[in-house]
Amino acid sequence: MDSDGTQDARGTHATPVPRSRSAVPPRPSAPPMPDGSAFLAWLRTPRPEALPGVWRFGHRPRPAEEPEQIPARQLLSGALIAFLVGWLIWSLLQNGYLGTWWWIPLFLVTPDSWRGGDGDLGGVGTVLVYRGYEVIVALIIMVGVGKLGRWSEVWRRFVAPRFRRGQPDVAPPAPEHDPTEWPQLRAAGAVDAAERLAGEAKAGLMRDVDHARIARAWQGVRSGRHDLSTFTGAVLKHGSAACPHPSGARDLSTRLARHDLVTGQVRLGTTADDARNPYAYRGTGLALGPELLGTSLLAVGPAGSGKTGTVVRPLAESLCLHALAGRAAVVAVGAAGAGLGPADAYDVVVRIGNPESVYDLDLYGGTTDPDEAAAVLAEALVGDLADPHPGSDSRRSTTVLAQLLGPFRAVHDRFPSVPELRQLLDGAPGPLAALRTALQGSGQESLLRELDARERQMAHPGDVGGVLADRVALLDRPAFAGFFDTSGQSRPFSLRALDHPVRVRIDLPSRGHADASRMLARLVLAQFTASVAVREDRSLFACLILDDATGVVTPEAVRGIQRLRSGNAGAVLTLRTLDDVPRPLRGPLLGSVGCRMALSGLTPWDGQDFAEVWGKEWTEARDVTDRQIIAETPAGKALHAVRRVITGKAATARAVTVRQVERERWSASELAHGVPPGHAVLSLTDVRGEHAPPLLVDLRG
């Protein structure tokens, strides 16, 4: 069993994912320990269930409610005063200023013959009895003043953290619960395979990706997609290298973020210890995984706020690791040099406009249906020109394209290239006449009627064919001469390959071709949403990462993003500002994604949109009123005068009024001016519907 069944090409795809040219796996970023102790410790580390977004690796849950927090100065001064009071009481007892009554309990439980130096116990015994009693009394006083001065709270807040080690030792669990022993395989009778895997883990030959990949293959066995004997044979033959990814890679050459492939999370930062964050989240690691990305993520922040470096790059890296484990398929789209990861981290790298690119992009998404191809292509060409108000769409553009794509494919058994499509949309008489002649010779009467309708519409004012031709002309440039070929001479990549755990990076030609880049980004998004809806294997998580979604958000794109969750797919979109989205679409876009991130440097206008979607909450407001106390007696006036000299303030009486008010979770002003550099405010929703309120997160942690 050389794969887990999700990697092999299927006949339903027009362009199966090409295999890697090199069978040599890349060197891992950190070689495993010779005895595998680091890997075993990592695998045995507890990962308790936690709230959405919490980094579960070694997590220690905190109470959901914040305990009463005493100010540090008040706590320390109270502890010191309690100690001094206890010391004073002990001194008074020792010096006899409080009498001898505190000896009565000792006299009641000891005979008279024990007292004095000549007693039955002798001098030494008497001293031990009396001194022991004094120690007991001192301990009682210490316990009393300790409770009064909250010494336990002082220890917990100021002393204990200094003695804690960074990573606690993890005791080996029982064999039947030890994940390094593969108990699920043993329970199913695959004892030999479990022994082989456990031995390689202890010898340092297994990586975290190997563990995740084999666990994924085992899920296929349990679900009935694969045979147990085939799986066992592959493990016994290849060990931890069994069930490989088609590229043969078992790790990425470099890792910049912290990953935990047991839970599927990647750590992005640390939730700030801020009063606006729920107590259970404060100081915890913030991590994302497929269960959160399945609801899609929108990150908004100006240039330099860290969208690519602290959000997009770690997520792309994590999804590439998931793909190597056979769990996910990822398509990362951005400008050339955007920092989406090295080329060797991907199976397919499409460099549009670069003549050295090995792969091409299929303009029609790998489909053979003219209507489907027309709908996707129309969204890419004029989706941003469509009226974003309800009731408007690009159906006219889809109809125009279908009237040409259907007849052309019937004649040539392929779709037109960019120059051919431009000529047909322009209404050039030569290409249209040749297409008509070919249709008449083949007896395609229904398609002739489509062509006749197209020619009649061309004569009417307001025909969208000219607009479509102008948009296609953006791709009919010398820089793209070798791309979007439909004759079979190139190696086009189709998003129909998302049935496989494939890693794809698409570099857009932003310099000098900004309009073409935005159009191609819309094309990829439209093809992605159309492809994930018809996948055969939806157990594979599919994710599209769009580094800059400027000009990409259209009414159809918003509807497509809303449908991704049901197909076990998600999208990650970044924007410099919400002004790059038409005003009628900003609310629907924020409502269609489950995870929303506002980075530092946001404008107040963008902050207002986030504040509205995050809504309000009931909170406790305290109104404090200080009223000056007027003394009426000479003694009181003198006391107030002394107090004013010492404290510099007049004597006042404080009145506190507590009431429940409804306030915005994060106001537009706070989002614009209260988020420190390197931070972001992030709300989360997972595919099960659990959600986390807006959290202030330090992305530098």
Side-chain angles (χ1 to χ4, degrees):
M1 180 178 179
D2 295 330
S3 70
D4 65 357
T6 62
Q7 296 94 334
D8 300 327
R10 297 188 176 94
T12 57
H13 303 297
T15 54
V17 181
R19 304 281 173 155
S20 173
R21 293 186 294 273
S22 174
V24 180
R27 186 176 60 183
S29 56
M33 297 293 291
D35 59 351
S37 58
F39 175 79
L40 298 179
W42 170 82
L43 194 56
R44 289 169 175 164
T45 300
R47 297 167 174 85
E49 292 294 329
L51 296 170
V54 173
W55 174 251
R56 291 172 52 191
F57 181 79
H59 172 62
R60 294 182 177 180
R62 304 180 70 182
E65 297 293 335
E66 180 181 5
E68 183 181 358
Q69 188 78 0
I70 303 172
R73 182 175 179 180
Q74 179 181 346
L75 181 63
L76 294 176
S77 61
L80 178 60
I81 292 174
F83 173 75
L84 295 176
V85 169
W87 191 5
L88 176 62
I89 294 174
W90 177 249
S91 300
L92 294 176
L93 290 176
Q94 284 290 89
N95 295 321
Y97 292 110
L98 298 181
T100 60
W101 57 268
W102 60 287
W103 291 101
I104 294 177
L106 179 63
F107 297 157
L108 292 177
V109 298
T110 58
D112 296 339
S113 59
W114 286 13
R115 300 164 194 160
D118 298 331
D120 294 344
L121 294 177
V124 177
T126 301
V127 170
L128 291 176
V129 170
Y130 278 76
R131 293 295 176 265
Y133 180 72
E134 289 178 348
V135 170
I136 294 174
V137 173
L139 290 175
I140 293 174
I141 295 174
M142 184 180 297
V143 171
V145 299
K147 284 186 170 294
L148 182 64
R150 298 185 177 92
W151 289 1
S152 60
E153 180 72 8
V154 173
W155 174 270
R156 185 182 65 83
R157 288 174 56 180
F158 301 104
V159 181
R162 300 180 180 273
F163 291 94
R164 291 176 185 165
R165 291 185 293 177
Q167 186 70 26
D169 294 333
V170 181
E176 62 272 15
H177 301 293
D178 189 351
T180 65
E181 297 294 333
W182 296 87
Q184 65 274 29
L185 270 66
R186 298 178 187 273
V191 179
D192 294 340
E195 291 289 348
R196 175 70 186 273
L197 294 175
E200 295 211 351
K202 295 174 183 176
L205 301 177
M206 182 177 288
R207 305 178 178 94
D208 56 351
V209 178
D210 298 330
H211 181 273
R213 188 184 65 253
I214 295 174
R216 162 74 177 178
W218 176 248
Q219 290 178 358
V221 174
R222 295 184 60 185
S223 63
R225 296 197 308 268
H226 313 307
D227 184 67
L228 175 61
S229 60
T230 306
F231 169 83
T232 303
V235 171
L236 292 177
K237 181 178 180 181
H238 301 288
S240 58
C243 315
H245 185 265
S247 66
R250 296 171 60 185
D251 204 345
L252 301 179
S253 59
T254 58
R255 295 192 190 186
L256 300 182
R258 292 185 61 188
H259 305 272
D260 182 24
L261 292 181
V262 174
T263 59
Q265 293 180 312
V266 55
R267 180 164 180 161
L268 298 185
T270 304
T271 308
D273 191 2
D274 188 273
R276 290 169 291 192
N277 288 337
Y279 178 73
Y281 276 97
R282 295 179 195 171
T284 63
L286 191 282
L288 298 182
E291 74 284 351
L292 291 170
L293 296 180
T295 63
S296 298
L297 167 68
L298 174 66
V300 182
S305 59
K307 298 187 299 296
T308 302
T310 61
V311 179
V312 172
R313 175 67 186 272
L315 291 178
E317 189 175 278
S318 174
L319 290 168
C320 285
L321 290 173
H322 281 288
L324 291 180
R327 296 174 173 176
V330 56
V331 180
V333 183
L340 299 179
D344 60 6
Y346 295 90
D347 304 310
V348 176
V349 179
V350 182
R351 298 183 174 94
I352 300 177
N354 188 337
E356 298 180 358
S357 178
V358 178
Y359 295 93
D360 192 3
L361 181 64
D362 192 333
L363 193 64
Y364 301 97
T367 183
T368 58
D369 183 1
D371 293 329
E372 182 181 349
V376 173
L377 190 57
E379 170 65 14
L381 295 177
V382 297
D384 59 330
L385 299 180
D387 187 357
H389 292 284
S392 298
D393 53 30
S394 55
R395 283 177 294 181
R396 288 193 303 163
S397 301
T398 302
T399 302
V400 169
L401 289 170
Q403 289 172 342
L404 296 174
L405 296 182
F408 192 95
R409 180 169 180 80
V411 171
H412 300 282
D413 196 27
R414 63 176 177 86
F415 288 121
S417 63
V418 170
E420 292 170 334
L421 180 60
R422 181 183 180 184
Q423 290 179 343
L424 292 173
L425 290 171
D426 273 332
L432 287 176
L435 184 58
R436 174 179 294 277
T437 302
L439 288 174
Q440 290 173 345
S442 61
Q444 301 279 353
E445 296 297 332
S446 61
L447 295 178
L448 275 173
R449 288 194 295 270
E450 293 283 340
L451 198 59
D452 292 339
R454 174 85 286 270
E455 292 179 342
R456 287 195 304 270
Q457 293 169 3
M458 289 170 54
H460 295 168
D463 179 52
V464 298
V467 177
L468 292 171
D470 292 340
R471 285 305 182 95
V472 173
L474 295 174
L475 302 179
D476 191 15
R477 289 289 184 269
F480 309 132
F483 287 84
F484 317 118
D485 180 63
T486 59
S487 63
Q489 301 300 317
S490 64
R491 303 178 66 182
F493 169 75
S494 167
L495 269 73
R496 293 278 176 169
L498 294 179
D499 271 345
H500 314 289
V502 62
R503 304 168 293 167
V504 183
R505 194 186 80 189
I506 301 177
D507 294 345
L508 301 177
S510 59
R511 180 174 299 179
H513 301 280
D515 291 337
S517 294
R518 288 192 287 268
M519 189 166 62
L520 291 172
R522 289 195 300 273
L523 176 66
V524 174
L525 177 57
Q527 290 184 0
F528 179 82
T529 55
S531 298
V532 297
V534 296
R535 288 191 304 163
E536 298 178 6
D537 184 9
R538 295 195 178 186
S539 65
L540 197 70
F541 178 69
C543 188
L544 171 67
I545 298 178
L546 199 53
D547 186 43
D548 185 4
T550 301
V552 176
V553 180
T554 65
E556 185 59 35
V558 173
R559 288 190 285 268
I561 292 173
Q562 292 173 339
R563 296 190 294 264
L564 290 179
R565 185 189 304 190
S566 61
N568 192 23
V572 178
L573 310 177
T574 68
L575 290 168
R576 293 185 181 91
T577 172
L578 287 175
D579 288 338
D580 293 332
V581 178
R583 166 55 67 180
L585 292 179
R586 295 178 193 175
L589 174 63
L590 289 170
S592 65
V593 297
C595 304
R596 311 173 187 96
M597 177 182 288
L599 289 92
S600 61
L602 213 65
T603 65
W605 299 273
D606 289 346
Q608 184 62 41
D609 291 321
F610 277 100
E612 290 179 0
V613 75
W614 281 330
K616 300 180 179 181
E617 64 177 347
W618 288 100
T619 184
E620 188 178 85
R622 292 173 174 264
D623 296 332
V624 181
T625 304
D626 288 335
R627 179 179 58 84
Q628 185 175 355
I629 301 176
I630 306 299
E632 299 179 355
T633 63
K637 293 180 180 180
L639 182 61
H640 286 188
V642 172
R643 180 174 179 176
R644 178 186 287 273
V645 171
I646 295 175
T647 63
K649 298 179 181 179
T652 59
R654 175 169 294 182
V656 180
T657 303
V658 180
R659 55 193 176 92
Q660 294 289 327
V661 296
E662 192 177 21
R663 292 180 178 174
E664 291 178 326
R665 297 176 184 271
W666 279 83
S667 67
S669 178
E670 288 176 325
L671 290 171
H673 308 294
V675 181
H679 289 64
V681 180
L682 171 65
S683 65
L684 302 170
T685 303
D686 65 13
V687 293
R688 298 183 300 273
E690 298 183 13
H691 60 88
L695 306 170
L696 179 63
V697 180
D698 185 359
L699 298 176
R700 302 167 302 181

